[in-house]
Amino acid sequence: MTFSDLNLNTSLLKAINDQGYTTPTPVQAQAIPYILEGRDMLAGAQTGTGKTAGFTLPLLQILSDKKTSKPHRKIRALILTPTRELAAQVGESVKLYGKYLPLKSAVIFGGVGITPQITMLRNGIDILIATPGRLLDHIGQGTVDLSGVEVFVLDEADRMLDMGFIRDIRRVISILPKGRQNLMFSATYSDEIKTLANTLLHTPAEVEVARRNTSSELVKQSVILVDCKRKSALLGELISKNKWEQVLVFTRTKHGANKLSEYFQKIGITAAAIHGNKSQSARTKALDDFKKRTIRVLVATDIAARGIDIDALPHVVNFELPNIAEDYVHRIGRTGRAGCEGEALSLVCVDEADYLKGIEKLINKKLDSRIIEGYEPDPSIKAEPIQRGRGGGSGGNRGGSGGGNRSSKPAQKREGGRHESSRRDSSRRY
Ligand code: AMP
């Protein structure tokens, strides 16, 4: 199948061609026809599958085909995303694919000044990409008019719920005009997601694509068993010896991300950390530097890294395993994208054995594990529960990312969330 088979207009085909895409990905091939028919849709697809183009391309076509009779430019499409990074990336995609169309788009999120956003909104746009919090600020101030919305996209709905945005989403939905088209994307289906889909969508078409990291052979996954306190030294050595040039490293806590980034800088490996306590400009700069390869290592927490889209990212390292098994799949989804091979390495200490089991159960696969000479785990170290704030590296008192930290938060709580979701609670079974 080619993109022309999907009945996309010549402006879009030209933009797709500029990107060098030749074949639609499975989610694009399935979703684009339904969306062009004007149907509501529920799509099970996560980042890395090409889902952004899957909804952006038909959305742009719908808006450019249907001439609006309204005298003033009104927002005709609203895309909600859970994080600022994802909003920015979706915004870039809209600009990229819509570059030959006369449609205007804008991205609004928190952490940056609101006044330029108000000016942008006042000048008139067709497509708005937003995170829930800042959108509600604009709604509260009366600086955004959503009465002309024809298409509503809820991206990464499961992550939105994880982050505690359910009430915000419902408030936004309640003020959208009736009779619009709704598209909902989610990587996982919990009961909460199904309830939300039932209230939002009308006789939706359902599209499901394989979770690429459970089926993809492109990501080589492996585990190194190592003591928590020796993880930083080992990772520094692996990066230097193997000359890895672009490594995305995950820690469980913001504090851990900072410590590890500082450690790398100390040993001469350029690095930066991104997490929810960093300003938006610091996060954008770190991500840009990493993409441009000005820095070799980007240390991130799960929420900050959500949706990060880096072409052909070769290495993802779990410095600490996530306490939610699904996050492992999201994390390693940063590599092995769009046909490029990638490697996902997890450094696992004795405290994390249960997390590893949970992950292997979720992905239905035993991960290869090995021990590195000189970094053999000390058999006299007994496992300590991470939930009680001990062990596990950056957040625990074993200080995997350089020294102890007794003031860390309990492992079950993490940044960005307004409340703990039921999915998170269910992860405790591991
Ligand atoms: P997404 O799942 O939307 O985050 O997209 C993942 C990556 O796939 C992005 O880097 C896109 O630029 C890329 N991509 C999207 N569609 C295609 C396609 N049809 N062929 C090749 N790459 C694509």
Side-chain angles (χ1 to χ4, degrees):
M1 183 188 269
T2 64
F3 279 100
S4 340
D5 298 330
L6 292 170
N7 292 323
L8 292 171
N9 65 36
T10 49
S11 304
L12 291 170
L13 290 176
K14 203 162 159 227
I16 293 166
N17 195 44
D18 291 353
Q19 284 306 108
Y21 305 163
T22 50
T23 321
T25 65
V27 70
Q28 292 162 3
Q30 290 178 53
I32 291 173
Y34 286 132
I35 302 175
L36 289 178
E37 275 174 32
R39 289 189 62 174
D40 277 11
M41 196 183 71
L42 176 62
Q46 64 183 78
T47 310
T49 54
K51 70 177 167 70
T52 315
F55 66 76
T56 305
L57 292 167
L59 174 75
L60 289 164
Q61 173 136 329
I62 289 170
L63 298 188
S64 58
D65 279 358
K66 261 203 273 173
K67 296 279 169 286
T68 167
S69 52
K70 297 177 185 103
H72 302 295
R73 211 185 263 268
K74 267 192 167 188
I75 295 166
R76 299 175 61 199
L78 171 66
I79 303 170
L80 271 192
T81 72
T83 63
R84 300 160 184 183
E85 281 78 11
L86 190 60
Q89 276 172 199
V90 172
E92 275 171 32
S93 297
V94 169
K95 284 217 157 61
L96 214 60
Y97 305 133
K99 66 180 179 184
Y100 300 114
L101 293 170
L103 295 166
K104 276 176 76 177
S105 62
V107 181
I108 59 169
F109 47 66
V112 295
I114 199 164
T115 316
Q117 296 178 351
I118 294 174
T119 311
M120 231 162 31
L121 291 168
R122 201 180 293 137
N123 289 343
I125 51 161
D126 302 284
I127 303 165
L128 180 64
I129 302 105
T131 51
R134 181 53 66 91
L135 180 62
L136 283 171
D137 290 344
H138 282 283
I139 291 171
Q141 294 189 24
T143 46
V144 67
D145 174 9
L146 298 175
S147 66
V149 170
E150 297 162 37
V151 187
F152 172 56
V153 182
L154 189 60
D155 197 11
E156 306 211 341
D158 51 348
R159 188 53 54 142
M160 293 258 198
L161 300 191
D162 261 7
M163 292 173 73
F165 285 138
I166 185 67
R167 280 223 218 110
D168 293 352
I169 294 167
R170 289 196 189 281
R171 275 178 62 199
V172 172
I173 292 172
S174 71
I175 60 159
L176 294 179
K178 304 269 171 296
R180 62 183 190 271
Q181 184 177 8
N182 300 292
L183 312 173
M184 181 167 153
F185 287 78
S186 184
T188 54
Y189 288 117
S190 61
D191 287 346
E192 259 178 309
I193 287 289
K194 284 181 205 141
T195 310
L196 181 62
N198 286 341
T199 50
L200 176 65
L201 308 171
H202 306 283
T203 53
E206 290 192 26
V207 165
E208 174 89 64
V209 295
R211 299 182 63 149
R212 60 170 296 129
N213 302 307
T214 50
S215 59
S216 166
E217 295 305 312
L218 292 170
V219 183
K220 199 174 140 252
Q221 302 170 57
S222 67
V223 164
I224 295 179
L225 303 173
V226 58
D227 289 338
C228 295
K229 64 179 187 311
R230 307 209 58 204
K231 283 183 177 183
S232 337
L234 172 61
L235 185 54
E237 202 174 304
L238 287 171
I239 292 171
S240 304
K241 273 200 179 149
N242 296 310
K243 300 190 170 50
W244 291 346
E245 289 304 326
Q246 209 180 23
V247 194
L248 178 61
V249 180
F250 285 93
T251 59
R252 268 196 300 270
T253 66
K254 300 177 228 186
H255 176 76
N258 283 340
K259 281 235 148 192
L260 190 57
S261 161
E262 283 159 19
Y263 171 76
F264 283 138
Q265 289 169 51
K266 213 169 69 194
I267 62 165
I269 296 173
T270 48
I274 57 166
H275 51 67
N277 280 3
K278 295 262 176 184
S279 69
Q280 186 54 41
S281 57
R283 283 156 75 167
T284 308
K285 182 173 183 320
L287 194 55
D288 282 351
D289 286 348
F290 186 59
K291 281 187 181 175
K292 284 189 300 206
R293 297 187 175 222
T294 322
I295 54 166
R296 283 168 86 178
V297 181
L298 187 65
V299 189
T301 55
D302 288 284
I303 286 174
R306 184 73 183 161
I308 287 179
D309 180 18
I310 297 154
D311 284 336
L313 176 62
H315 300 284
V316 168
V317 175
N318 293 306
F319 185 78
E320 293 150 334
L321 289 180
N323 50 331
I324 298 162
E326 280 88 349
D327 281 345
Y328 175 84
V329 179
H330 290 306
R331 286 179 176 190
I332 73 164
R334 314 295 105 208
T335 185
R337 285 187 179 200
C340 298
E341 281 192 25
E343 186 185 4
L345 174 68
S346 302
L347 304 184
V348 179
C349 74
V350 65
D351 300 345
E352 297 170 294
D354 283 350
Y355 289 170
L356 182 60
K357 268 190 227 150
I359 289 163
E360 290 179 334
K361 191 169 144 198
L362 178 76
I363 62 172
N364 202 16
K365 185 165 151 179
K366 186 127 183 66
L367 295 173
D368 288 335
S369 66
R370 62 188 198 279
I371 285 166
I372 303 286
E373 215 186 312
Y375 290 91
E376 293 85 356
D378 176 349
S380 70
I381 297 177
K382 295 280 171 281
E384 293 179 17
I386 294 168
Q387 277 91 341
R388 281 171 221 151
R390 291 164 65 83
S394 67
N397 64 1
R398 287 187 175 174
S401 47
N405 167 33
R406 284 170 195 275
S407 63
S408 68
K409 287 194 241 169
Q412 288 291 332
K413 188 147 172 57
R414 62 176 184 186
E415 63 166 319
R418 296 183 183 188
H419 65 69
E420 301 290 301
S421 76
S422 56
R423 188 163 79 83
R424 190 161 308 152
D425 289 342
S426 70
S427 73
R428 288 184 185 160
R429 69 182 179 273
Y430 302 129

